[in-house]
């Protein structure tokens, strides 16, 4: 179907109708990314949440049949549920601009949707993630959080005209391969990717913060549990953990394994005009990108979520959801890989880039 079309890789930030900003609290190792509508009327959105432990805001508004048809912004952030404060900063920014739903009497309410990921272990450590091994000491450590409301406001002020990947915005505190502990994890990050096919634009921005490993297009593991110079298999660790749990239950002992908290969150954007029902179907299809590039995904302690945004700039007589849904998977898969490949090592968590450098130097 697309054989006669010209496929061009373009910046995610070039998609008609969006503005993208990021802000980081580098001293904490956490941040947020904001997608604003350049149209004061906002854009049409929906969402699909597959993880068992999501931290989200205003997602019920995105269901077909609800009153509000358009949203003004979507936020991806670190901080778990604490990070949901970032959307309040975005609301403050938009209210100052007079953007939102007019509820009468001059009262404007900006509609801002959000998903947050769990990066609190990065926040808890000062210099090196290995400090997290001593749980008793951690319980005595003062737990200070970034000001996520301020970060949300700041991200709106820091609009980027080019794609930024890696340790940026919501990707700053991301990590992958955490099944064997944070000390053996690798760095995740923020990834962006987009294409233009004739007049159609579609792209994705994702914060990659997975429990398991990341798989590239050739089926190779590029990030995951990293120990003794090799990347391990998360499934084997899961099976070992299940065996340990069973033995502890038999002996009535307490399981010492720490719980794993993760979450990969993304937004897919197209300039094609969609309604909320159509956007929701594309969000459902885009989840295949997680299953293809993240192993395992959609777990009970994940909050894996995907927003789909239509900027409503391109009106088509016949919207082929199968094509758009398939394209959403492709761009999201590439964005996931960008998030990992462009990430830098942080607080003792090694990056894919540094492993590649070490491999080259050893040859």
């Amino acid at each position: 179907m697309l054989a006669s079309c010209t496929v061009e890789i373009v910046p995610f930030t070039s998609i008609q109708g969006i503005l993208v900003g990021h802000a980081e609290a580098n001293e904490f190792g956490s941040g947020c990314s904001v997608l604003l509508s350049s149209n004061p009327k906002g854009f049409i959105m929906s969402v699909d949440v597959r993880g068992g432990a999501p931290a989200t805001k205003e997602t019920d508004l995105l269901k077909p049949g609800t009153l509000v048809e358009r949203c003004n912004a979507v936020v991806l952030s670190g901080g778990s549920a604490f990070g949901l404060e970032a959307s309040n900063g975005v609301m403050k920014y938009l209210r100052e601009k007079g953007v939102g739903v007019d509820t009468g009497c001059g009262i404007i309410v900006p509609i801002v949707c959000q998903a947050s990921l769990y990066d609190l272990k990065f926040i808890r450590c000062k210099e090196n993630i290995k400090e997290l091994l001593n749980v008793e000491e951690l319980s005595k450590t003062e737990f200070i959080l970034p000001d996520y409301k301020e970060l949300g406001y700041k991200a709106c002020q820091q609009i980027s005209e080019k794609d930024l990947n890696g340790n940026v915005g919501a990707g700053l505190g991301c990590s992958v391969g955490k099944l064997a502990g944070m000390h053996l994890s690798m760095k995740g990050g923020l990834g962006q990717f987009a294409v233009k096919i004739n007049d159609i634009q579609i792209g994705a921005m994702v914060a990659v913060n997975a429990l398991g490993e990341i798989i590239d297009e050739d089926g190779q593991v590029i990030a995951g549990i990293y120990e003794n110079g090799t990347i391990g298999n998360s499934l084997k660790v899961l099976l070992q953990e299940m065996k340990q749990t069973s033995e502890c239950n038999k002996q009535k002992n307490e399981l010492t394994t720490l719980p794993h908290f993760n979450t990969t969150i993304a937004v897919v954007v197209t300039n094609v005009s969609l309604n909320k029902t159509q956007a929701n179907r594309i969000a459902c299809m885009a989840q295949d990108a997680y299953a293809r590039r993240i192993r395992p995904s959609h777990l009970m302690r994940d909050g894996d979520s995907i927003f789909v945004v239509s900027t409503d700039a391109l009106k088509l007589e016949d919207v082929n959801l199968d094509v758009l849904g398939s394209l959403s998977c492709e761009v999201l898969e590439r964005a996931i890989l960008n998030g990992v490949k462009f990430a830098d090592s942080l607080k003792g968590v090694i990056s894919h880039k540094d492993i590649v450098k070490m491999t080259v130097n050893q040859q």
Side-chain angles (χ1 to χ4, degrees):
M1 180 181 293
L2 297 176
S4 61
C5 299
T6 301
V7 180
E8 177 186 359
I9 296 175
V10 298
F12 175 76
T13 54
S14 71
I15 296 177
Q16 187 178 4
I18 65 170
L19 301 169
V20 183
H22 312 280
E24 300 84 28
N26 289 300
E27 66 274 27
F28 293 96
S30 188
C32 75
S33 299
V34 175
L35 185 80
L36 300 172
S37 173
S38 61
N39 181 350
K41 294 181 179 179
F43 34 52
I44 297 161
M45 282 180 60
S46 192
V47 68
D48 186 68
V49 180
R50 297 282 175 93
T56 56
K57 184 175 181 180
E58 297 282 36
T59 50
D60 278 353
L61 274 179
L62 304 181
K63 294 178 181 178
T66 52
L67 177 64
V68 177
E69 286 296 324
R70 292 176 178 265
C71 301
N72 304 112
V74 59
V75 183
L76 307 181
S77 84
S80 189
F82 298 110
L84 295 175
E85 278 286 317
S87 58
N88 291 341
V90 178
M91 290 183 70
K92 180 176 183 289
Y93 176 86
L94 292 173
R95 185 185 176 196
E96 291 173 356
K97 302 292 182 182
V99 174
V101 175
D102 187 350
T103 61
C105 301
I107 301 173
I108 302 295
V109 180
I111 305 299
V112 180
C113 302
Q114 182 177 355
S116 295
L117 57 85
Y118 186 93
D119 59 0
L120 298 182
K121 289 182 180 179
F122 257 114
I123 297 172
R124 285 300 295 268
C125 71
K126 293 185 186 256
E127 301 296 335
N128 197 298
I129 206 73
K130 292 181 175 61
E131 297 172 12
L132 287 168
L133 292 175
N134 193 327
V135 179
E136 291 183 3
E137 287 185 3
L138 271 178
S139 63
K140 301 174 184 177
T141 304
E142 186 178 6
F143 186 26
I144 303 174
L145 287 161
D147 186 338
Y148 284 103
K149 182 176 180 179
E150 181 181 338
L151 283 177
Y153 189 90
K154 191 176 178 182
C156 295
Q157 295 177 311
Q158 298 180 162
I159 299 301
S160 175
E161 294 183 357
K162 62 179 182 178
D163 287 358
L164 301 174
N165 295 292
N167 292 16
V168 180
L172 182 58
C174 288
S175 55
V176 301
K178 290 168 280 197
L179 260 171
M182 280 293 293
H183 62 297
L184 298 180
S185 65
M186 286 180 61
K187 191 69 181 65
L190 188 82
Q192 300 178 73
F193 186 81
V195 296
K196 182 179 180 183
I197 303 172
N198 294 344
D199 293 328
I200 295 174
Q201 296 173 305
I202 187 166
M205 179 171 69
V206 58
V208 186
N209 188 54
L211 176 70
E213 57 256 13
I214 307 301
I215 317 296
D216 70 10
E217 301 99 324
D218 299 320
Q220 299 298 311
V221 179
I222 64 169
I225 300 170
Y226 187 72
E227 186 174 20
N228 299 324
T230 60
I231 301 176
N233 187 304
S234 294
L235 181 58
K236 290 182 180 179
V237 177
L238 270 176
L239 292 172
Q240 181 62 35
E241 186 174 291
M242 183 174 68
K243 180 181 177 182
Q244 181 185 356
T245 303
S246 177
E247 290 174 353
C248 286
N249 287 340
K250 287 179 182 178
Q251 299 170 14
K252 296 184 179 180
N253 292 333
E254 195 173 308
L255 183 63
T256 57
T257 304
L258 290 173
H260 313 291
F261 293 95
N262 322 284
T263 295
T264 296
I265 49 180
V267 54
V268 173
V269 182
T270 181
N271 65 335
V272 176
S273 181
L274 302 170
N275 58 40
K276 283 200 282 189
T277 301
Q278 292 170 323
N280 179 255
R281 175 47 50 190
I282 292 172
C284 293
M285 295 177 70
Q287 292 279 1
D288 289 350
Y290 285 178
R292 291 174 189 165
R293 297 290 156 244
I294 301 171
R295 185 177 64 194
S297 57
H298 307 134
L299 301 177
M300 283 306 296
R301 290 190 176 94
D302 287 341
D304 293 345
S305 306
I306 299 175
F307 294 98
V308 168
V309 165
S310 163
T311 65
D312 201 27
L314 180 63
K315 310 285 186 180
L316 297 179
E317 290 185 8
D318 183 23
V319 177
N320 191 319
L321 293 182
D322 292 335
V323 171
L324 284 179
S326 298
L327 286 172
S328 72
C329 287
E330 295 293 331
V331 295
L332 183 50
E333 286 181 57
R334 294 287 292 271
I336 290 169
L337 296 180
N338 281 348
V340 171
K341 289 181 177 180
F342 285 91
D344 295 303
S345 299
L346 181 68
K347 294 190 177 185
V349 176
I350 195 167
S351 67
H352 170 79
K353 280 200 298 190
D354 282 346
I355 290 176
V356 171
K357 288 178 184 177
M358 288 190 297
T359 303
V360 171
N361 291 337
Q362 291 170 359
Q363 293 176 347

